[in-house]
Amino acid sequence: MNGVITAIAVVKFAILLLGGGITYIAFKAYRRTGEKSLRLLGIGFGVITLGALLTGVANQFFSVSLAHGVLINSVFVALGLAVIMYSLRIQK
């Protein structure tokens, strides 16, 4: 079980780095162009990244069960994807 916990921590860290990078790039592009869709894209990826961070912290430090962590993470992913989908649908 210790190996699984370590693997989860490593993957959550990778999600934090990658999601944070995508969020940063999207916001940087938004500042450069002023495109509302890029701002929403950054928010969507930020929500997904925040969910991964919060559930990882909750699982490691606050003894939240793995099942509850997966549920909470899934809610954040669904919300983030909904924002991303909306960002791709809006027109200038």
Side-chain angles (χ1 to χ4, degrees), residues 35-92:
E35 274 296 318
K36 182 181 176 185
S37 61
L38 289 171
R39 180 175 57 105
L40 288 171
L41 184 70
I43 291 169
F45 275 106
V47 168
I48 291 170
T49 304
L50 179 65
L53 175 67
L54 290 178
T55 56
V57 167
N59 183 263
Q60 293 295 316
F61 299 111
F62 299 110
S63 300
V64 172
S65 71
L66 187 58
H68 283 101
V70 169
L71 174 63
I72 294 166
N73 189 45
S74 297
V75 169
F76 275 94
V77 169
L79 289 173
L81 289 175
V83 173
I84 290 170
M85 189 168 101
Y86 179 72
S87 78
L88 296 174
R89 303 234 345 120
I90 65 171
Q91 306 246 335
K92 206 173 183 185

